[in-house]
Amino acid sequence: MAKRLELAPRLALLASWVPPGAHLADVGTDHGHLPVWLALHGRIASAVASDLRTGPLDRARLAGKTYGVKGIDFRLCDGLSAVAPQECDTVVIAGMGGENIAAILSGAPWTADGRHTLLLQPQSREEVLRRFLMEHGYAVRREALVEDRGILYPCMEAVAGKMALSPGQLWGGAALLHDPLGSRYMIEKILRLQTAVAGLNRAGGAENQKKADALRDILTGLLSLREEWRHANCP
């Protein structure tokens, strides 16, 4: 029975990136499927599964009990507030917006101490997260896209370090130049920004024009990045 637990595509990608024998912290664990699956398959040495709400944490505990796994500590807490640096070497934060992930990392500066690997999967505002990482001592070591129920999700592996990202990379990916879904991802961003610019132009006014100009600069960067992707991937 236990081996029948299956992960959604976006969680399966994260699971494949967790190093064997990791001491895991899964923030916002929700139903707990990721740490439970990893424990079932002997992929981790230990895990702290945290969530801000009692309902999801109860579901995670039930999943652990249902599949008979041990070695997972379920904790009710905000972000990493109740997780000590020495308890984990791999931190997973998924299932929330990029601004929320950035806030969690801001509250746990030890995640940039060079001894922790971060696996991050924002569901929105990923450009906010990439900027935060760039400005606070992290570097994206690899990035990939995964499609789940028709939606593209970026997955980032970040560690302590330095990186410089262009406006196009902030919005279109820090390391997606060879990703097979990269062109689609960038085009979706381009279309969304074009719609926003058109709306600002219709609204009129100096402030809206300033915002539209800023978005047009981002669009220029995205179009250039998409052209780089095309040259790198199309014969």
Side-chain angles (χ1 to χ4, degrees), residues 30-113:
D30 195 12
H31 42 49
H33 283 183
L34 179 63
V36 168
W37 187 93
L38 290 166
L40 273 174
H41 290 78
R43 292 281 307 280
I44 53 176
S46 66
V48 175
S50 71
D51 208 284
L52 182 62
R53 299 167 296 162
T54 56
L57 204 62
D58 287 343
R59 290 195 295 271
R61 288 194 183 98
L62 179 60
K65 182 178 180 180
T66 298
Y67 291 100
V69 300
K70 297 181 180 179
I72 301 178
D73 187 351
F74 299 97
R75 293 184 193 172
L76 184 68
C77 67
D78 186 359
L80 287 159
S81 61
V83 180
Q86 64 271 21
E87 289 185 288
C88 60
D89 51 41
T90 304
V91 177
V92 173
I93 312 178
M96 62 190 78
E99 68 274 32
N100 290 335
I101 296 176
I104 289 170
L105 295 177
S106 180
W110 52 264
T111 54
D113 63 6

Side-chain angles (χ1 to χ4, degrees), residues 18 24 26 32 38 40 44 50 66 75 89-90 97 118 121 139 147 151 157 164 174 177-178 209 216 226:
V18 173
L24 181 74
D26 182 32
L38 290 166
L40 273 174
I44 53 176
S50 71
T66 298
R75 293 184 193 172
D89 51 41
T90 304
L118 311 180
Q121 194 177 77
E147 182 176 5
I151 299 173
E157 180 183 82
L177 190 58
H178 297 284
Q209 187 58 56
R216 273 190 284 267
R226 197 258 172 180

Side-chain angles (χ1 to χ4, degrees), residues 126-127 130 140 142-145 154-156 163-179 182 185-186 189 221-222 225-226 228-229:
E126 48 265 48
E127 72 281 358
R130 293 188 188 102
V140 175
R142 61 173 163 168
E143 187 171 1
L145 295 165
C155 184
M156 310 171 199
M163 65 177 177
L165 301 179
S166 67
Q169 289 173 313
L170 286 172
W171 283 76
L176 295 175
L177 190 58
H178 297 284
D179 193 287
Y185 180 73
M186 290 176 224
K189 298 289 184 185
L222 270 172
L225 189 64
R226 197 258 172 180
E228 286 184 49
W229 183 95

